Amino acid sequence: MGLRVLIIGGGGREHALCWAAASSPQVEKVYCAPGNAGIADVATVVAIKDSDTKGLLEFARRERIDLTIVGPEGPLVAGLVDEFKGAKLRVFGPSAAAARLEGSKVFAKEFMRRYHIPTAPFSVFDDPAQASQFIRSADGPLVVKADGLAAGKGVIVCSDAESALAAVQTIMVERVFGDAGARVIVEKRLTGTELSVMAVSDGQRIAILIPARDYKAAMDGDSGPNTGGMGAYAPALQFDDPLLDEITEAVLKPTVMGMAAEGNPYTGVLYAGMMITDAGPRVLEYNCRFGDPETQVVLPLLKTDLIDVIGAALAGQLHMEPLDWHDEVCVCVILVSDGYPGRYETGQPMSGPLKTSHNNILRFHAGTAMRDDVMVTAGGRVVGICGRAPSHEGAVAAAYQQVEKVQFKGMRYRTDIGLRQGQTSLPRRTRPERRAKV
Ligand code: AMP
Ligand code: GLY
């Protein structure tokens, strides 16, 4: 009998997870809650919200789910994994205590300070007057961050003291992110190239996933407001690059060791959002889950069965699983509704090729729904079109060729996904053999 798998969430990341799980020969059935119209192509979609812990538990028991994989940070920080484990259900993701690495930026920064993990210098404030006083006396550009979860919007990168003071007002006084803004971090603004490094952890050991780059800004040339992600590509760094060793030794290993030492072993995907500065790699933030859209370009390159990797992590035996990768490049362009990340319309009928997979193309849906047998838009980020090819240029071309075949009213996308930021600090080399070090 094959495994019955439940994926929690309903975005592009979860579509990629469902696709990877459904591709595993060990898997008999994949469910996704709440899923979306595209996910229905590879999994059975169940209408239970990711915040409905009780409903999800009941479903997992009733359907005899063998393995649950949690996509978004909300349910992880809220303790869904602890509830599932309490009910003796097998679940992949960190406990609420371990998910604090993402759930509280103050916890994360103080943790990094305790373990000498390189990150921007920072101060913590729970009083807006003190935060403002600090900003007035500080030199150089700053970043102001709400402590708690703010749907990816709680970080305000400031060009001068005035905008930092305004950020304190927005976060702490107006409380636009609610209680997430009760405390803020004010930290030094770093410059360099961003890199997303994810690793699967079994609590003690890690298996590194191929590094990716995501494009957060809404418009070409990295201009406009930050979004949940407008595209991504992988690899952004090769496994044999000394920079990856440095990140592994200075960041990933001490993070997992520190969490274990503090009695909160980290099992799940640990995501380090890095800035590669002239002075070396620095952690911008941790996420306690698979990145989105990074997962949409990383999983298509993973040759090892994802279910084996997760099984090894849950068994505390990650060293048994050296990961194999396809020697290819994957590029993902996200199609969004005009206006995103601000106000946008939904319910627009979609046409063109929208099935999950065809040859070297994967289409991971985020905001899509079915209305009277017609697929319509249902969110800001609508669908990620991923192209795989042996070369970087080939993958860019494959993705954009397919992008042009999709149509819906107000469709918008960046035209520069795949162009490398600066194109200097992240050397790209082609290597025939790629094996992750564990
Ligand atoms: P987050 O929402 O925590 O993923 O952060 C969003 C983005 O803010 C990051 O991807 C960076 O682009 C930027 N950011 C965060 N911290 C810093 C920093 N200290 N210096 C410069 N940019 C930063
Ligand atoms: N791509 C950034 C994130 O997943 O938060």
Side-chain angles (χ1 to χ4, degrees):
M1 277 283 278
L3 294 175
R4 299 166 66 77
V5 177
L6 169 64
I7 314 277
I8 295 177
R13 163 185 49 212
E14 287 76 20
H15 194 167
L17 286 165
C18 286
W19 167 77
S23 314
S24 166
Q26 305 169 59
V27 171
E28 170 195 308
K29 179 108 185 123
V30 183
Y31 291 97
C32 187
N36 62 43
I39 290 177
D41 188 28
V42 291
T44 300
V45 166
V46 191
I48 307 175
K49 287 199 185 118
D50 65 14
S51 54
D52 179 3
T53 307
K54 197 163 154 267
L56 291 166
L57 263 177
E58 275 169 18
F59 178 83
R61 280 211 198 93
R62 187 172 69 240
E63 293 298 329
R64 302 179 323 283
I65 298 296
D66 300 297
L67 171 65
T68 299
I69 304 170
V70 189
E73 62 278 16
L76 291 167
V77 171
L80 186 106
V81 165
D82 308 73
E83 296 275 344
F84 268 59
K85 282 195 175 150
K88 302 264 179 295
L89 289 164
R90 222 163 139 250
V91 58
F92 182 66
S95 64
R100 275 186 299 168
L101 280 179
E102 177 167 1
S104 167
K105 290 191 193 294
V106 172
F107 174 83
K109 292 292 286 195
E110 289 174 346
F111 176 87
M112 286 188 263
R113 185 182 272 160
R114 283 199 290 286
Y115 294 95
H116 309 289
I117 294 168
T119 188
F122 70 101
S123 302
V124 180
F125 299 96
D126 57 13
D127 172 26
Q130 282 175 10
S132 302
Q133 193 180 4
F134 174 84
I135 288 167
R136 282 193 205 95
S137 63
D139 291 333
L142 298 168
V143 179
V144 181
K145 303 183 168 184
D147 176 36
L149 290 185
K153 297 184 191 125
V155 173
I156 305 183
V157 179
C158 306
S159 46
D160 50 27
E162 214 157 279
S163 52
L165 292 170
V168 167
Q169 184 72 19
T170 307
I171 297 175
M172 297 190 90
V173 181
E174 291 162 23
R175 288 288 176 98
V176 297
F177 309 116
D179 287 347
R183 288 193 293 178
V184 293
I185 287 168
V186 181
E187 71 177 35
K188 184 175 168 200
R189 178 171 167 185
L190 303 174
T191 51
T193 308
E194 286 190 48
L195 182 70
S196 307
V197 188
M198 298 187 275
V200 176
S201 169
D202 68 3
Q204 297 286 335
R205 283 162 295 252
I206 51 172
I208 297 168
L209 303 182
I210 199 143
R213 181 184 166 208
D214 75 339
Y215 294 75
K216 289 201 173 68
M219 307 293 169
D220 284 5
D222 288 331
S223 60
N226 266 3
T227 70
M230 296 294 291
Y233 70 82
L237 199 63
Q238 303 291 345
F239 278 117
D240 61 353
D241 197 300
L243 180 57
L244 189 56
D245 278 340
E246 196 181 339
I247 294 170
T248 305
E249 297 303 322
V251 176
L252 298 170
K253 284 187 180 171
T255 302
V256 169
M257 288 305 131
M259 292 303 285
E262 295 187 1
N264 299 313
Y266 192 100
T267 311
V269 171
L270 176 66
Y271 169 129
M274 305 298 306
M275 182 78 91
I276 313 306
T277 73
D278 288 346
R282 301 283 182 271
V283 178
L284 293 177
E285 58 152 358
Y286 290 113
N287 290 325
C288 64
R289 50 171 173 83
F290 284 102
D292 198 1
E294 289 91 333
T295 301
Q296 302 183 47
V297 292
V298 168
L299 291 184
L301 298 178
L302 180 63
K303 212 188 262 183
T304 309
D305 186 338
L306 176 69
I307 300 300
D308 280 337
V309 183
I310 289 176
L314 291 176
Q317 292 184 338
L318 256 189
H319 57 290
M320 305 293 290
E321 291 295 331
L323 306 187
D324 275 323
W325 298 89
H326 293 287
D327 189 18
E328 286 188 321
V329 177
C330 190
V331 172
C332 174
V333 180
I334 310 273
L335 310 185
V336 304
S337 305
D338 193 27
Y340 173 78
R343 288 166 59 88
Y344 53 81
E345 281 181 24
T346 57
Q348 301 300 333
M350 302 173 66
S351 62
L354 289 159
K355 293 289 270 183
T356 304
S357 133
H358 182 72
N359 296 333
N360 60 339
I361 298 297
L362 288 157
R363 303 179 191 89
F364 296 127
H365 292 224
T368 63
M370 293 306 284
R371 199 178 62 192
D372 305 330
D373 288 337
V374 177
M375 191 176 283
V376 296
T377 61
R381 287 197 289 175
V382 177
V383 54
I385 311 285
C386 307
R388 272 186 303 193
S391 74
H392 190 91
E393 292 67 26
V396 172
Y400 276 108
Q401 264 166 26
Q402 291 296 317
V403 160
E404 282 155 22
K405 294 184 182 167
V406 179
Q407 288 181 328
F408 57 87
K409 190 171 152 240
M411 176 174 126
R412 202 175 63 69
Y413 57 88
R414 275 182 64 161
T415 64
D416 61 350
I417 303 300
L419 278 191
R420 291 175 283 269
Q421 190 181 345
Q423 304 212 334
T424 47
S425 26
L426 296 178
R428 190 169 72 89
R429 270 170 271 151
T430 324
R431 296 270 310 175
E433 173 85 359
R434 280 196 218 117
R435 288 214 119 185
K437 294 189 193 89
V438 178

PDB file of all heavy atoms in Angstrom, residues 192-217:
ATOM      1  N   GLY A 192      24.277  44.261  -1.213  1.00  0.00           N
ATOM      2  CA  GLY A 192      24.904  43.083  -1.795  1.00  0.00           C
ATOM      3  C   GLY A 192      23.901  42.326  -2.640  1.00  0.00           C
ATOM      4  O   GLY A 192      22.898  42.893  -3.075  1.00  0.00           O
ATOM      5  N   THR A 193      24.185  41.044  -2.832  1.00  0.00           N
ATOM      6  CA  THR A 193      23.312  40.197  -3.638  1.00  0.00           C
ATOM      7  C   THR A 193      22.554  39.273  -2.709  1.00  0.00           C
ATOM      8  O   THR A 193      23.140  38.669  -1.818  1.00  0.00           O
ATOM      9  CB  THR A 193      24.173  39.345  -4.597  1.00  0.00           C
ATOM     10  OG1 THR A 193      25.034  40.216  -5.305  1.00  0.00           O
ATOM     11  CG2 THR A 193      23.300  38.580  -5.581  1.00  0.00           C
ATOM     12  N   GLU A 194      21.236  39.141  -2.954  1.00  0.00           N
ATOM     13  CA  GLU A 194      20.441  38.248  -2.103  1.00  0.00           C
ATOM     14  C   GLU A 194      20.477  36.825  -2.635  1.00  0.00           C
ATOM     15  O   GLU A 194      20.582  36.591  -3.842  1.00  0.00           O
ATOM     16  CB  GLU A 194      19.002  38.760  -2.010  1.00  0.00           C
ATOM     17  CG  GLU A 194      18.910  39.988  -1.122  1.00  0.00           C
ATOM     18  CD  GLU A 194      17.473  40.388  -0.815  1.00  0.00           C
ATOM     19  OE1 GLU A 194      16.669  39.504  -0.442  1.00  0.00           O
ATOM     20  OE2 GLU A 194      17.162  41.578  -0.965  1.00  0.00           O
ATOM     21  N   LEU A 195      20.370  35.882  -1.714  1.00  0.00           N
ATOM     22  CA  LEU A 195      20.431  34.468  -2.059  1.00  0.00           C
ATOM     23  C   LEU A 195      19.554  33.714  -1.060  1.00  0.00           C
ATOM     24  O   LEU A 195      19.592  33.999   0.134  1.00  0.00           O
ATOM     25  CB  LEU A 195      21.893  34.015  -1.921  1.00  0.00           C
ATOM     26  CG  LEU A 195      22.221  32.582  -2.263  1.00  0.00           C
ATOM     27  CD1 LEU A 195      22.096  32.359  -3.768  1.00  0.00           C
ATOM     28  CD2 LEU A 195      23.657  32.250  -1.828  1.00  0.00           C
ATOM     29  N   SER A 196      18.756  32.768  -1.549  1.00  0.00           N
ATOM     30  CA  SER A 196      17.905  31.963  -0.662  1.00  0.00           C
ATOM     31  C   SER A 196      18.511  30.581  -0.534  1.00  0.00           C
ATOM     32  O   SER A 196      18.648  29.877  -1.545  1.00  0.00           O
ATOM     33  CB  SER A 196      16.500  31.816  -1.249  1.00  0.00           C
ATOM     34  OG  SER A 196      15.952  33.080  -1.557  1.00  0.00           O
ATOM     35  N   VAL A 197      18.876  30.201   0.685  1.00  0.00           N
ATOM     36  CA  VAL A 197      19.446  28.875   0.904  1.00  0.00           C
ATOM     37  C   VAL A 197      18.521  28.103   1.836  1.00  0.00           C
ATOM     38  O   VAL A 197      18.269  28.523   2.961  1.00  0.00           O
ATOM     39  CB  VAL A 197      20.867  28.947   1.500  1.00  0.00           C
ATOM     40  CG1 VAL A 197      21.494  27.566   1.531  1.00  0.00           C
ATOM     41  CG2 VAL A 197      21.741  29.891   0.696  1.00  0.00           C
ATOM     42  N   MET A 198      18.008  26.985   1.341  1.00  0.00           N
ATOM     43  CA  MET A 198      17.123  26.150   2.158  1.00  0.00           C
ATOM     44  C   MET A 198      17.832  24.839   2.463  1.00  0.00           C
ATOM     45  O   MET A 198      18.605  24.337   1.648  1.00  0.00           O
ATOM     46  CB  MET A 198      15.830  25.836   1.408  1.00  0.00           C
ATOM     47  CG  MET A 198      15.009  27.067   1.063  1.00  0.00           C
ATOM     48  SD  MET A 198      13.407  26.617   0.371  1.00  0.00           S
ATOM     49  CE  MET A 198      13.807  26.406  -1.341  1.00  0.00           C
ATOM     50  N   ALA A 199      17.567  24.305   3.652  1.00  0.00           N
ATOM     51  CA  ALA A 199      18.106  22.998   4.016  1.00  0.00           C
ATOM     52  C   ALA A 199      17.011  22.220   4.723  1.00  0.00           C
ATOM     53  O   ALA A 199      16.203  22.796   5.460  1.00  0.00           O
ATOM     54  CB  ALA A 199      19.303  23.151   4.936  1.00  0.00           C
ATOM     55  N   VAL A 200      16.982  20.919   4.478  1.00  0.00           N
ATOM     56  CA  VAL A 200      16.093  20.048   5.245  1.00  0.00           C
ATOM     57  C   VAL A 200      16.879  19.650   6.487  1.00  0.00           C
ATOM     58  O   VAL A 200      18.062  19.314   6.387  1.00  0.00           O
ATOM     59  CB  VAL A 200      15.709  18.805   4.415  1.00  0.00           C
ATOM     60  CG1 VAL A 200      14.855  17.847   5.242  1.00  0.00           C
ATOM     61  CG2 VAL A 200      14.960  19.221   3.154  1.00  0.00           C
ATOM     62  N   SER A 201      16.234  19.724   7.655  1.00  0.00           N
ATOM     63  CA  SER A 201      16.931  19.371   8.897  1.00  0.00           C
ATOM     64  C   SER A 201      16.171  18.260   9.623  1.00  0.00           C
ATOM     65  O   SER A 201      14.937  18.255   9.646  1.00  0.00           O
ATOM     66  CB  SER A 201      17.021  20.608   9.791  1.00  0.00           C
ATOM     67  OG  SER A 201      17.452  20.231  11.088  1.00  0.00           O
ATOM     68  N   ASP A 202      16.947  17.331  10.211  1.00  0.00           N
ATOM     69  CA  ASP A 202      16.304  16.280  11.015  1.00  0.00           C
ATOM     70  C   ASP A 202      16.419  16.575  12.513  1.00  0.00           C
ATOM     71  O   ASP A 202      16.144  15.732  13.348  1.00  0.00           O
ATOM     72  CB  ASP A 202      16.883  14.894  10.675  1.00  0.00           C
ATOM     73  CG  ASP A 202      18.337  14.719  11.098  1.00  0.00           C
ATOM     74  OD1 ASP A 202      18.914  15.638  11.721  1.00  0.00           O
ATOM     75  OD2 ASP A 202      18.908  13.654  10.802  1.00  0.00           O
ATOM     76  N   GLY A 203      16.860  17.783  12.827  1.00  0.00           N
ATOM     77  CA  GLY A 203      17.033  18.170  14.220  1.00  0.00           C
ATOM     78  C   GLY A 203      18.507  18.252  14.581  1.00  0.00           C
ATOM     79  O   GLY A 203      18.887  19.002  15.490  1.00  0.00           O
ATOM     80  N   GLN A 204      19.333  17.476  13.879  1.00  0.00           N
ATOM     81  CA  GLN A 204      20.773  17.435  14.140  1.00  0.00           C
ATOM     82  C   GLN A 204      21.579  17.704  12.872  1.00  0.00           C
ATOM     83  O   GLN A 204      22.564  18.397  12.890  1.00  0.00           O
ATOM     84  CB  GLN A 204      21.181  16.032  14.650  1.00  0.00           C
ATOM     85  CG  GLN A 204      20.554  15.640  15.966  1.00  0.00           C
ATOM     86  CD  GLN A 204      21.189  16.371  17.133  1.00  0.00           C
ATOM     87  OE1 GLN A 204      22.340  16.789  17.053  1.00  0.00           O
ATOM     88  NE2 GLN A 204      20.441  16.562  18.212  1.00  0.00           N
ATOM     89  N   ARG A 205      21.129  17.068  11.797  1.00  0.00           N
ATOM     90  CA  ARG A 205      21.875  17.141  10.535  1.00  0.00           C
ATOM     91  C   ARG A 205      21.040  17.859   9.490  1.00  0.00           C
ATOM     92  O   ARG A 205      19.816  17.940   9.621  1.00  0.00           O
ATOM     93  CB  ARG A 205      22.170  15.727  10.025  1.00  0.00           C
ATOM     94  CG  ARG A 205      23.304  15.043  10.752  1.00  0.00           C
ATOM     95  CD  ARG A 205      23.229  13.570  10.495  1.00  0.00           C
ATOM     96  NE  ARG A 205      22.004  13.081  11.083  1.00  0.00           N
ATOM     97  CZ  ARG A 205      21.949  12.332  12.188  1.00  0.00           C
ATOM     98  NH1 ARG A 205      23.052  11.953  12.777  1.00  0.00           N
ATOM     99  NH2 ARG A 205      20.788  11.960  12.688  1.00  0.00           N
ATOM    100  N   ILE A 206      21.747  18.308   8.421  1.00  0.00           N
ATOM    101  CA  ILE A 206      21.022  19.003   7.355  1.00  0.00           C
ATOM    102  C   ILE A 206      21.389  18.430   5.989  1.00  0.00           C
ATOM    103  O   ILE A 206      22.470  17.880   5.813  1.00  0.00           O
ATOM    104  CB  ILE A 206      21.338  20.518   7.353  1.00  0.00           C
ATOM    105  CG1 ILE A 206      22.855  20.760   7.351  1.00  0.00           C
ATOM    106  CG2 ILE A 206      20.670  21.217   8.518  1.00  0.00           C
ATOM    107  CD1 ILE A 206      23.227  22.217   7.156  1.00  0.00           C
ATOM    108  N   ALA A 207      20.448  18.561   5.063  1.00  0.00           N
ATOM    109  CA  ALA A 207      20.722  18.307   3.650  1.00  0.00           C
ATOM    110  C   ALA A 207      20.362  19.602   2.930  1.00  0.00           C
ATOM    111  O   ALA A 207      19.224  20.083   3.016  1.00  0.00           O
ATOM    112  CB  ALA A 207      19.869  17.157   3.131  1.00  0.00           C
ATOM    113  N   ILE A 208      21.348  20.171   2.251  1.00  0.00           N
ATOM    114  CA  ILE A 208      21.146  21.487   1.636  1.00  0.00           C
ATOM    115  C   ILE A 208      20.436  21.347   0.298  1.00  0.00           C
ATOM    116  O   ILE A 208      20.751  20.458  -0.500  1.00  0.00           O
ATOM    117  CB  ILE A 208      22.506  22.188   1.487  1.00  0.00           C
ATOM    118  CG1 ILE A 208      23.063  22.408   2.899  1.00  0.00           C
ATOM    119  CG2 ILE A 208      22.379  23.519   0.749  1.00  0.00           C
ATOM    120  CD1 ILE A 208      24.472  22.824   2.938  1.00  0.00           C
ATOM    121  N   LEU A 209      19.471  22.221   0.077  1.00  0.00           N
ATOM    122  CA  LEU A 209      18.775  22.250  -1.214  1.00  0.00           C
ATOM    123  C   LEU A 209      19.492  23.252  -2.114  1.00  0.00           C
ATOM    124  O   LEU A 209      20.174  24.164  -1.636  1.00  0.00           O
ATOM    125  CB  LEU A 209      17.311  22.648  -1.022  1.00  0.00           C
ATOM    126  CG  LEU A 209      16.516  21.754  -0.060  1.00  0.00           C
ATOM    127  CD1 LEU A 209      15.051  22.207   0.009  1.00  0.00           C
ATOM    128  CD2 LEU A 209      16.585  20.293  -0.492  1.00  0.00           C
ATOM    129  N   ILE A 210      19.315  23.077  -3.397  1.00  0.00           N
ATOM    130  CA  ILE A 210      20.076  23.900  -4.328  1.00  0.00           C
ATOM    131  C   ILE A 210      19.689  25.387  -4.160  1.00  0.00           C
ATOM    132  O   ILE A 210      18.503  25.717  -4.133  1.00  0.00           O
ATOM    133  CB  ILE A 210      19.921  23.379  -5.771  1.00  0.00           C
ATOM    134  CG1 ILE A 210      21.037  23.925  -6.626  1.00  0.00           C
ATOM    135  CG2 ILE A 210      18.572  23.705  -6.384  1.00  0.00           C
ATOM    136  CD1 ILE A 210      21.514  22.925  -7.642  1.00  0.00           C
ATOM    137  N   PRO A 211      20.660  26.271  -3.965  1.00  0.00           N
ATOM    138  CA  PRO A 211      20.343  27.678  -3.696  1.00  0.00           C
ATOM    139  C   PRO A 211      19.588  28.340  -4.860  1.00  0.00           C
ATOM    140  O   PRO A 211      19.804  28.011  -6.032  1.00  0.00           O
ATOM    141  CB  PRO A 211      21.724  28.323  -3.497  1.00  0.00           C
ATOM    142  CG  PRO A 211      22.596  27.198  -3.044  1.00  0.00           C
ATOM    143  CD  PRO A 211      22.114  26.003  -3.812  1.00  0.00           C
ATOM    144  N   ALA A 212      18.714  29.251  -4.498  1.00  0.00           N
ATOM    145  CA  ALA A 212      17.862  29.909  -5.486  1.00  0.00           C
ATOM    146  C   ALA A 212      17.932  31.418  -5.290  1.00  0.00           C
ATOM    147  O   ALA A 212      18.387  31.916  -4.260  1.00  0.00           O
ATOM    148  CB  ALA A 212      16.420  29.437  -5.323  1.00  0.00           C
ATOM    149  N   ARG A 213      17.471  32.122  -6.293  1.00  0.00           N
ATOM    150  CA  ARG A 213      17.288  33.558  -6.131  1.00  0.00           C
ATOM    151  C   ARG A 213      15.835  33.884  -6.405  1.00  0.00           C
ATOM    152  O   ARG A 213      15.250  33.345  -7.349  1.00  0.00           O
ATOM    153  CB  ARG A 213      18.165  34.327  -7.116  1.00  0.00           C
ATOM    154  CG  ARG A 213      17.946  35.791  -6.878  1.00  0.00           C
ATOM    155  CD  ARG A 213      18.612  36.767  -7.764  1.00  0.00           C
ATOM    156  NE  ARG A 213      17.922  38.023  -7.462  1.00  0.00           N
ATOM    157  CZ  ARG A 213      17.770  39.013  -8.296  1.00  0.00           C
ATOM    158  NH1 ARG A 213      18.263  38.936  -9.496  1.00  0.00           N
ATOM    159  NH2 ARG A 213      17.110  40.081  -7.938  1.00  0.00           N
ATOM    160  N   ASP A 214      15.230  34.717  -5.569  1.00  0.00           N
ATOM    161  CA  ASP A 214      13.884  35.167  -5.891  1.00  0.00           C
ATOM    162  C   ASP A 214      13.901  36.657  -6.191  1.00  0.00           C
ATOM    163  O   ASP A 214      14.857  37.356  -5.867  1.00  0.00           O
ATOM    164  CB  ASP A 214      12.866  34.791  -4.802  1.00  0.00           C
ATOM    165  CG  ASP A 214      12.968  35.648  -3.559  1.00  0.00           C
ATOM    166  OD1 ASP A 214      14.038  36.253  -3.335  1.00  0.00           O
ATOM    167  OD2 ASP A 214      11.987  35.718  -2.805  1.00  0.00           O
ATOM    168  N   TYR A 215      12.866  37.096  -6.876  1.00  0.00           N
ATOM    169  CA  TYR A 215      12.729  38.497  -7.266  1.00  0.00           C
ATOM    170  C   TYR A 215      11.523  39.045  -6.521  1.00  0.00           C
ATOM    171  O   TYR A 215      10.392  38.694  -6.842  1.00  0.00           O
ATOM    172  CB  TYR A 215      12.495  38.608  -8.776  1.00  0.00           C
ATOM    173  CG  TYR A 215      13.677  38.163  -9.610  1.00  0.00           C
ATOM    174  CD1 TYR A 215      13.977  36.820  -9.767  1.00  0.00           C
ATOM    175  CD2 TYR A 215      14.484  39.103 -10.237  1.00  0.00           C
ATOM    176  CE1 TYR A 215      15.056  36.412 -10.526  1.00  0.00           C
ATOM    177  CE2 TYR A 215      15.576  38.712 -11.004  1.00  0.00           C
ATOM    178  CZ  TYR A 215      15.856  37.359 -11.146  1.00  0.00           C
ATOM    179  OH  TYR A 215      16.924  36.964 -11.899  1.00  0.00           O
ATOM    180  N   LYS A 216      11.787  39.893  -5.531  1.00  0.00           N
ATOM    181  CA  LYS A 216      10.694  40.358  -4.669  1.00  0.00           C
ATOM    182  C   LYS A 216       9.990  41.594  -5.214  1.00  0.00           C
ATOM    183  O   LYS A 216       8.804  41.777  -4.993  1.00  0.00           O
ATOM    184  CB  LYS A 216      11.248  40.703  -3.284  1.00  0.00           C
ATOM    185  CG  LYS A 216      11.659  39.489  -2.485  1.00  0.00           C
ATOM    186  CD  LYS A 216      11.708  39.789  -1.004  1.00  0.00           C
ATOM    187  CE  LYS A 216      11.946  38.533  -0.203  1.00  0.00           C
ATOM    188  NZ  LYS A 216      13.291  37.963  -0.394  1.00  0.00           N
ATOM    189  N   ALA A 217      10.736  42.460  -5.905  1.00  0.00           N
ATOM    190  CA  ALA A 217      10.150  43.734  -6.322  1.00  0.00           C
ATOM    191  C   ALA A 217       9.143  43.530  -7.453  1.00  0.00           C
ATOM    192  O   ALA A 217       9.297  42.644  -8.298  1.00  0.00           O
ATOM    193  CB  ALA A 217      11.249  44.695  -6.750  1.00  0.00           C
TER     194      ALA A 217
END
